[in-house]
Amino acid sequence: MMLALSPRPVDEPTVLMLQASPVAVACGFPSPAQDYYDGPIDLTEMLVDDQEATFIVRASGHSMTEAGISDGDELLVDRSKRPRDGDVVVAVLDGQLTIKRLQISAGRVTLKSESADHPDIVVTELAELVIWGVATFAIHHLRRP
Protein backbone atom coordinates (compact mmCIF):
# COMPACT_ATOMS: atom_id res chain seq x y z
CA MET A 1 0.00 0.00 0.00
CA MET A 2 1.69 3.18 -1.13
CA LEU A 3 0.70 6.70 -0.18
CA ALA A 4 -1.28 8.53 -2.81
CA LEU A 5 -0.58 12.03 -1.53
CA SER A 6 2.11 13.70 0.50
CA PRO A 7 1.18 13.95 4.17
CA ARG A 8 -0.39 17.23 5.15
CA PRO A 9 -0.43 18.66 8.66
CA VAL A 10 -3.56 19.12 10.72
CA ASP A 11 -3.56 22.91 10.81
CA GLU A 12 -3.59 24.40 14.29
CA PRO A 13 -6.15 27.13 13.52
CA THR A 14 -8.48 24.56 11.98
CA VAL A 15 -11.04 23.36 14.49
CA LEU A 16 -13.70 21.06 13.17
CA MET A 17 -16.79 21.37 15.34
CA LEU A 18 -19.69 19.15 14.34
CA GLN A 19 -23.10 18.76 15.84
CA ALA A 20 -23.45 15.46 17.68
CA SER A 21 -26.42 13.21 17.40
CA PRO A 22 -28.44 13.41 20.60
CA VAL A 23 -28.00 9.63 21.01
CA ALA A 24 -25.88 6.77 19.82
CA VAL A 25 -27.83 5.39 16.89
CA ALA A 26 -28.33 1.62 16.98
CA CYS A 27 -27.40 -0.38 13.91
CA GLY A 28 -29.80 -3.10 15.03
CA PHE A 29 -33.07 -2.44 16.85
CA PRO A 30 -33.88 1.18 17.76
CA SER A 31 -32.92 2.30 21.27
CA PRO A 32 -35.61 3.44 23.72
CA ALA A 33 -33.16 5.90 25.37
CA GLN A 34 -33.07 8.58 22.67
CA ASP A 35 -33.34 11.75 24.75
CA TYR A 36 -29.66 12.26 25.73
CA TYR A 37 -27.71 15.09 24.11
CA ASP A 38 -24.09 16.00 24.83
CA GLY A 39 -23.62 18.99 22.50
CA PRO A 40 -21.17 19.59 19.64
CA ILE A 41 -18.00 17.55 19.24
CA ASP A 42 -14.55 19.01 18.51
CA LEU A 43 -13.00 16.30 16.34
CA THR A 44 -9.50 17.75 16.66
CA GLU A 45 -9.70 17.58 20.46
CA MET A 46 -11.25 14.13 20.32
CA LEU A 47 -8.89 12.50 17.77
CA VAL A 48 -5.55 14.34 17.95
CA ASP A 49 -3.11 14.04 20.85
CA ASP A 50 -0.28 16.18 19.43
CA GLN A 51 -1.54 18.63 16.82
CA GLU A 52 1.92 19.72 15.64
CA ALA A 53 2.99 16.10 15.07
CA THR A 54 -0.23 14.82 13.48
CA PHE A 55 -0.69 14.54 9.73
CA ILE A 56 -3.41 13.28 7.41
CA VAL A 57 -2.25 10.61 4.97
CA ARG A 58 -4.37 9.12 2.20
CA ALA A 59 -4.02 5.37 1.78
CA SER A 60 -3.84 3.78 -1.64
CA GLY A 61 -4.23 0.10 -2.41
CA HIS A 62 -5.74 -2.95 -0.74
CA SER A 63 -2.99 -4.49 1.39
CA MET A 64 -4.46 -3.27 4.73
CA THR A 65 -8.15 -4.08 4.32
CA GLU A 66 -8.24 -6.53 7.26
CA ALA A 67 -6.99 -3.70 9.49
CA GLY A 68 -9.99 -1.61 8.39
CA ILE A 69 -8.02 0.55 5.97
CA SER A 70 -9.42 0.75 2.45
CA ASP A 71 -8.17 2.36 -0.74
CA GLY A 72 -8.75 6.13 -0.49
CA ASP A 73 -9.19 6.28 3.30
CA GLU A 74 -7.52 9.08 5.22
CA LEU A 75 -5.35 8.16 8.20
CA LEU A 76 -4.43 10.35 11.13
CA VAL A 77 -0.73 9.71 11.66
CA ASP A 78 1.02 10.88 14.83
CA ARG A 79 4.78 11.31 14.43
CA SER A 80 5.26 11.90 18.17
CA LYS A 81 4.17 8.37 19.15
CA ARG A 82 6.84 5.76 19.67
CA PRO A 83 6.11 2.83 17.33
CA ARG A 84 5.41 -0.46 19.11
CA ASP A 85 4.90 -4.03 17.99
CA GLY A 86 1.40 -4.31 16.53
CA ASP A 87 1.00 -0.65 15.56
CA VAL A 88 -0.11 0.33 12.07
CA VAL A 89 2.69 2.58 10.84
CA VAL A 90 3.73 4.70 7.91
CA ALA A 91 7.17 3.34 7.11
CA VAL A 92 9.89 4.42 4.73
CA LEU A 93 11.67 1.29 3.53
CA ASP A 94 14.61 1.91 1.23
CA GLY A 95 13.13 5.26 0.25
CA GLN A 96 9.61 3.93 -0.45
CA LEU A 97 6.58 4.88 1.70
CA THR A 98 4.21 2.14 2.79
CA ILE A 99 1.49 1.56 5.39
CA LYS A 100 1.82 -1.75 7.25
CA ARG A 101 1.44 -3.33 10.69
CA LEU A 102 4.77 -3.33 12.53
CA GLN A 103 5.80 -6.72 13.87
CA ILE A 104 8.89 -7.07 16.01
CA SER A 105 9.85 -10.51 17.27
CA ALA A 106 13.16 -12.14 18.15
CA GLY A 107 15.09 -9.15 16.82
CA ARG A 108 13.36 -9.44 13.46
CA VAL A 109 11.24 -6.66 11.96
CA THR A 110 8.39 -7.42 9.57
CA LEU A 111 6.02 -5.00 7.89
CA LYS A 112 2.85 -7.08 7.80
CA SER A 113 0.15 -6.76 5.20
CA GLU A 114 -3.41 -7.15 6.40
CA SER A 115 -4.59 -8.96 3.29
CA ALA A 116 -3.95 -12.52 2.14
CA ASP A 117 -3.39 -11.16 -1.38
CA HIS A 118 -0.28 -9.19 -0.38
CA PRO A 119 2.95 -10.57 1.06
CA ASP A 120 4.55 -9.37 4.28
CA ILE A 121 7.83 -7.49 3.99
CA VAL A 122 10.67 -8.90 6.07
CA VAL A 123 13.14 -6.10 6.75
CA THR A 124 16.67 -7.34 6.11
CA GLU A 125 19.81 -6.13 7.87
CA LEU A 126 20.89 -4.19 4.79
CA ALA A 127 17.56 -2.40 4.37
CA GLU A 128 17.05 1.17 5.49
CA LEU A 129 13.86 1.46 7.56
CA VAL A 130 12.42 4.61 9.12
CA ILE A 131 9.08 4.55 10.91
CA TRP A 132 7.63 7.89 9.82
CA GLY A 133 4.62 7.81 12.15
CA VAL A 134 1.98 5.75 13.90
CA ALA A 135 -1.55 5.63 12.47
CA THR A 136 -4.10 6.41 15.18
CA PHE A 137 -7.40 6.67 13.28
CA ALA A 138 -8.75 5.83 9.82
CA ILE A 139 -11.45 7.92 8.24
CA HIS A 140 -13.16 5.23 6.23
CA HIS A 141 -15.15 6.14 3.14
CA LEU A 142 -18.44 4.28 2.85
CA ARG A 143 -19.09 2.39 -0.36
CA ARG A 144 -22.36 2.57 -2.24
CA PRO A 145 -24.00 -0.77 -3.06
Side-chain angles (χ1 to χ4, degrees):
M1 172 176 288
M2 298 303 295
L3 301 180
L5 298 176
S6 298
R8 57 190 188 276
V10 176
D11 296 327
E12 189 170 339
T14 301
V15 176
L16 183 56
M17 296 289 288
L18 299 175
Q19 294 299 316
S21 169
V23 295
V25 179
C27 291
F29 291 102
S31 169
Q34 295 187 358
D35 57 352
Y36 178 74
Y37 177 68
D38 200 26
I41 293 174
D42 177 352
L43 289 179
T44 303
E45 181 180 310
M46 185 177 179
L47 302 177
V48 176
D49 290 332
D50 185 338
Q51 204 164 0
E52 291 182 14
T54 300
F55 292 78
I56 298 171
V57 173
R58 181 169 297 150
S60 175
H62 303 281
S63 71
M64 294 299 288
T65 55
E66 294 300 315
I69 301 170
S70 298
D71 184 46
D73 287 352
E74 270 80 31
L75 302 178
L76 291 182
V77 178
D78 190 335
R79 296 199 66 200
S80 71
K81 292 195 179 300
R82 183 179 180 150
R84 300 182 328 219
D85 179 55
D87 284 344
V88 172
V89 298
V90 175
V92 183
L93 179 63
D94 295 329
Q96 299 293 314
L97 283 165
T98 189
I99 299 169
K100 295 286 185 265
R101 187 169 306 278
L102 180 65
Q103 183 180 47
I104 305 168
S105 63
R108 185 172 167 173
V109 176
T110 303
L111 299 174
K112 292 191 61 61
S113 294
E114 294 279 341
S115 168
D117 296 333
H118 299 289
D120 297 339
I121 301 169
V122 176
V123 181
T124 65
E125 287 184 31
L126 298 177
E128 183 180 331
L129 174 67
V130 175
I131 302 301
W132 190 85
V134 176
T136 56
F137 289 94
I139 302 170
H140 185 70
H141 297 263
L142 299 178
R143 308 282 187 254
R144 294 184 58 91

